[in-house]
Amino acid sequence: MITAGIDIGSSALKLVILESTGKVLARYVGRAGYGSGARAREFCKSVGVNIDATVATGYGRGQIDWADKSVTELTCQVRWARQERPAARTIIDIGGQDCKVMRISESGTLADFLLNDKCAAGTGRFLEVMAAALEVPVEELGSVPNGPSAGISSTCTVFAESEVMSAVASGLNKEEVIRGINDAVASRVATLALRLGCIPEVVITGGVAQNARIVSAISRILGTRPIVPKEPQLTAAWGAALLAHDKFC
Amino acid sequence: MSRLTSANHLKKVMSRYYTGLRIPSPGKRIAWVTSGAPIEILRAMNIQVAYPENYAALCAARRQSQRLMEIAESSGLSEDLCSYARCHIGSVLSPQAAPWKGLPRPDVLICCNNICSTVTLWYEYLAEILEVPLFFLDTPRVDGSPAPHQVAYVKRQLEDLVCFLEARFRRRLDEQTLAATLKTSVKTARLWAEIRNTAKKRPSPIEAPDLFIAMAPIVVLRGTRAALDYYRLLHEELLLRIENGVGVGRDERVRLVWDNIAIWHALFRVNQMFATHGGVFVADTYTGGWTFELKEGDPLESMAHAYLSVFLNKGFADRLADLEKSLSEYSAEGLVMHANRSCKPYSLIQPELARQISKRMGLPVLLLECDMADPRAYAEEQLRLRIEAFMEQVGGIL
């Protein structure tokens, strides 16, 4: 049996094709937007296997009209963890537009969750806006060396951008500002995690988990070392493919 | 959702009430009152009552609140002010933009702070712009049961209210009429409690959105025959549903309790997001605010006791106990709390209530950030994600 999990987030389209042995046959990460559904379909075809069941997830899941089921990213993330990180009790998912913290029960189900409020601070979009303001590729924000950090407010993406501009104008060096940006995201995310009660083992997923500076700042605040999976962007799609197995195969 | 046939009657009752308010007649007096005001005294003195809060909720349900709030905000009021206050003040400042051109002009304003403290400033502002006298009734915060000195303090103010109205309108309060009005009020409140209790059955014959609509008469027509007759009709209909094993018209897979005022501008839309996953709101904490009893004895003293004991006038321990009682009596499997941006006394303690409920009862709790009457605080996709994840958490994946 072969299943597909498709996760259309606010900024990326992620796809995992899974064998019943648990082996990932194919994976895809690309930009989300108009035509995500069509691209997902093309990719599934290009793999050249017969897909028995599909589960869609993410804000754009409605675009996958051929999916057998729609499930929220939260349940998909937890399903992935049950398979791949059974000791995990907390997942922090930092996506393009929101940040989610999930608590996993002993039996591996979604026990509780918290999402960021109506604000994009502490998300991937925040980093994209700041990277653009500093004229730095977003991927490079995580590779800045240790050093002093500029104090950037973590309350609002729009206002934080003007703070960054004023830091630049006042002659602070770019690396200091970048460290300030990373710290702002980390403090926002860690506060949310602590509000839910952050039980180890903690896993960080989502695109922002690729930023090593943010992960280590979160780790400092939480007082525990989170695990970052090898492909942190793919976990929800992977969980969706697992759920497709559970439900339909 | 299957429609209640008594809803047709409700529509007539409410439209008769609102039309009646506008029909001029000699000696007619109108009071604008807060939702927790002791209206039995006014009714017994043949003073008509109009409710700015109910009016604002109606405007929101008709999706006409935003324009009125914008008028209030343009006049200088803060966006952080209660949306009922903004909506109603907007209708006063610009009646042409308001449904039914706003409420008919009042002769007097009666403000009781047992529901919140915003009403104090709201009514002071109304008194200033309308140049209408304001009577202010102060109800100190109660923990458990009202203390004798609190009852005495409020009773004295009720006596003052009677003097104030008698002097203002040159009419006497007839004690027998007051006793009869109170009797009808209590009878109606008991019936309302019975109606809410029917939802303890499985399947529940009624759900929270029905209750939110059906609550209008217990608020604005309490103490009248019209309200009592409507609730008798509704009660009979619900008993018949129970007898025939009829629920709310769809599968009842997950029983839920709603905390806080409804999201009036998206009442059925939000309900549908839960309904799709088999969720039925069998109870809510808001409509239960109008199920009260009166103690035997001096009528003003009993009223003082009852109006002090309104749930929004109570502290954390009472709110928690009420919630726990509702959740267990209605066999609920989850609690949904509307973190209502407008209603601070209702909403500020919700995160701690949520934590206590999940700790003590092991029940999942969802907090939804929105607003009762301001559609600009409504973010549908964000609500949907939270609701769907919550329903997967409570009910599993179907």
Side-chain angles (χ1 to χ4, degrees):
Chain A
M1 287 292 191
I2 292 169
T3 60
I6 306 171
D7 173 14
I8 305 184
S10 59
S11 56
L13 158 67
K14 287 90 57 174
L15 216 149
V16 167
I17 294 175
L18 204 62
E19 266 186 359
S20 44
T21 56
K23 187 181 159 209
V24 174
L25 274 184
R27 47 175 58 76
Y28 174 89
V29 179
R31 274 211 84 74
Y34 281 109
S36 291
R39 257 181 297 136
R41 194 191 282 273
E42 270 166 38
F43 178 77
C44 288
K45 266 195 198 148
S46 73
V47 178
V49 291
N50 188 30
I51 294 168
D52 298 292
T54 300
V55 166
T57 188
Y59 279 114
R61 58 187 178 275
Q63 289 189 53
I64 311 298
D65 50 10
W66 73 92
D68 298 283
K69 180 96 197 137
S70 266
V71 180
T72 66
E73 309 89 284
L74 293 95
T75 298
C76 292
Q77 295 276 9
V78 169
R79 180 65 188 89
W80 166 84
R82 189 162 85 210
Q83 190 83 13
E84 297 297 316
R85 298 289 324 178
R89 288 293 161 268
T90 307
I91 303 176
I92 301 173
D93 177 57
I94 320 172
Q97 221 173 64
D98 58 23
C99 171
K100 312 176 186 84
V101 185
M102 292 143 265
R103 189 190 303 140
I104 307 173
S105 70
E106 293 290 328
S107 55
T109 57
L110 177 64
D112 204 354
F113 63 90
L114 268 181
L115 277 79
N116 60 324
D117 50 23
K118 287 176 215 137
C119 171
T123 69
R125 182 72 76 229
F126 181 89
L127 293 175
E128 283 173 8
V129 170
M130 300 309 150
L134 289 172
E135 296 170 15
V136 171
V138 73
E139 300 76 24
E140 282 180 23
L141 296 179
S143 50
V144 62
N146 285 333
S149 154
I152 301 290
S153 152
S154 52
T155 49
C156 169
T157 305
V158 177
F159 294 155
E161 188 182 7
S162 37
E163 272 181 71
V164 166
M165 296 322 289
S166 114
V168 170
S170 71
L172 277 183
N173 78 51
K174 208 179 249 186
E175 289 182 348
E176 202 169 330
V177 178
I178 292 174
R179 282 189 286 268
I181 291 164
N182 289 336
D183 287 347
V185 171
S187 99
R188 183 91 178 184
V189 170
T191 307
L192 194 70
L194 289 170
R195 238 173 81 193
L196 188 71
C198 199
I199 306 170
E201 172 182 297
V202 179
V203 179
I204 303 191
T205 63
V208 177
Q210 289 161 333
N211 179 318
R213 286 282 150 203
I214 290 180
V215 172
S216 70
I218 292 174
S219 153
R220 261 198 315 279
I221 304 171
L222 296 182
T224 177
R225 206 177 167 71
I227 310 287
V228 178
K230 220 168 83 194
E231 295 165 301
Q233 267 187 298
L234 281 177
T235 50
W238 193 330
L242 286 166
L243 284 168
H245 263 287
D246 300 345
K247 292 294 295 177
F248 304 103
C249 301
Chain B
M1 161 168 164
S2 76
R3 201 178 139 80
L4 290 155
T5 49
S6 55
N8 295 331
H9 186 74
L10 171 64
K11 223 173 171 174
K12 275 187 216 148
V13 168
M14 288 308 290
S15 97
R16 217 172 284 150
Y17 162 70
Y18 270 104
T19 320
L21 272 180
R22 324 200 68 83
I23 299 172
S25 65
K28 182 173 178 176
R29 301 293 183 196
I30 295 176
W32 283 3
V33 300
T34 54
S35 61
I39 49 144
E40 288 80 3
I41 293 174
L42 294 130
R43 228 182 263 304
M45 294 178 78
N46 199 23
I47 299 164
Q48 312 289 309
V49 288
Y51 284 79
E53 291 158 65
N54 179 262
Y55 176 75
L58 268 176
C59 292
R62 294 165 57 108
R63 308 205 180 167
Q64 285 177 292
S65 56
Q66 186 169 332
R67 176 80 196 106
L68 298 175
M69 286 186 283
E70 284 165 354
I71 291 167
E73 287 158 23
S74 316
S75 82
L77 292 175
S78 162
E79 255 186 71
D80 290 321
L81 180 66
C82 157
S83 53
Y84 279 178
R86 275 179 290 147
C87 179
H88 175 250
I89 290 169
S91 78
V92 172
L93 296 176
S94 188
Q96 294 308 321
W100 314 290
K101 299 197 169 81
L103 290 173
R105 190 183 157 80
D107 299 290
V108 69
L109 302 165
I110 314 287
C111 173
C112 179
N113 64 355
N114 57 357
I115 47 154
C116 74
S117 51
T118 298
V119 288
T120 315
L121 296 167
W122 174 1
Y123 275 62
E124 277 176 355
Y125 184 56
L126 290 176
E128 193 181 300
I129 54 178
L130 294 168
E131 296 179 3
V132 168
L134 163 67
F135 187 92
F136 180 69
L137 184 70
D138 178 40
T139 49
R141 171 62 65 104
V142 166
D143 281 308
S145 266
H149 71 274
Q150 293 179 315
V151 176
Y153 172 62
V154 173
K155 185 189 166 192
R156 207 157 54 233
Q157 294 179 73
L158 291 175
E159 287 163 355
D160 289 348
L161 172 64
V162 173
C163 292
F164 167 81
L165 294 170
E166 285 183 341
R168 185 96 211 144
F169 299 131
R170 296 205 179 86
R171 47 179 88 158
R172 304 283 301 166
L173 169 68
D174 176 57
E175 282 180 14
Q176 281 186 339
T177 317
L178 176 63
T181 311
L182 281 170
K183 209 170 148 188
T184 312
S185 253
V186 170
K187 224 188 249 177
T188 317
R190 279 188 196 144
L191 197 50
W192 180 239
E194 284 303 313
I195 286 165
R196 294 181 78 255
N197 280 340
T198 60
K200 290 177 184 167
K201 292 274 183 227
R202 267 179 205 266
S204 166
I206 191 162
E207 56 184 333
D210 298 322
L211 290 168
F212 280 125
I213 302 289
M215 74 183 283
I218 189 73
V219 182
V220 305
L221 287 164
R222 192 170 64 253
T224 68
R225 187 82 214 175
L228 190 58
D229 287 346
Y230 160 64
Y231 288 121
R232 280 189 178 135
L233 209 64
L234 171 60
H235 192 223
E236 276 166 23
E237 185 176 3
L238 296 176
L239 291 181
L240 197 68
R241 276 191 175 185
I242 290 174
E243 207 178 295
N244 298 327
V246 173
V248 294
R250 51 168 204 279
D251 236 11
E252 176 188 295
R253 285 195 297 266
V254 184
R255 292 169 67 88
L256 300 166
V257 167
W258 176 273
D259 183 56
N260 217 311
I261 301 172
I263 302 171
W264 293 114
H265 47 95
L267 179 63
F268 294 102
R269 236 180 139 77
V270 172
N271 191 59
Q272 190 52 41
M273 293 190 214
F274 289 95
T276 308
H277 298 269
V280 174
F281 285 100
V282 289
D284 71 280
T285 55
Y286 184 55
T287 63
W290 283 266
T291 54
F292 62 93
E293 280 293 334
L294 277 183
K295 285 179 178 279
E296 293 289 323
D298 178 74
L300 291 190
E301 191 170 318
S302 329
M303 286 179 78
H305 202 280
Y307 282 98
L308 269 164
S309 307
V310 168
F311 76 105
L312 282 175
N313 199 42
K314 291 188 153 192
F316 182 83
D318 292 308
R319 288 273 301 277
L320 180 61
D322 284 353
L323 256 180
E324 280 187 306
K325 195 164 168 252
S326 283
L327 288 161
S328 73
E329 284 184 357
Y330 286 86
S331 323
E333 290 140 281
L335 170 65
V336 177
M337 302 182 112
H338 168 208
N340 183 357
R341 186 176 158 75
S342 272
C343 194
K344 277 84 178 175
Y346 216 144
S347 312
L348 280 176
I349 62 172
Q350 281 176 322
E352 185 51 27
L353 283 172
R355 192 162 25 215
Q356 292 289 337
I357 291 293
S358 61
K359 199 169 91 185
R360 293 153 70 116
M361 302 184 79
L363 284 180
V365 184
L366 174 69
L367 263 120
L368 287 179
E369 289 174 29
C370 203
D371 189 276
M372 57 194 184
D374 193 342
R376 293 167 295 178
Y378 178 81
E380 182 147 297
E381 275 316 304
Q382 305 209 347
L383 281 188
R384 192 192 307 281
L385 175 64
R386 283 158 176 78
I387 292 169
E388 288 187 0
F390 177 73
M391 292 308 289
E392 287 168 4
Q393 180 192 347
V394 185
I397 306 163
L398 302 164

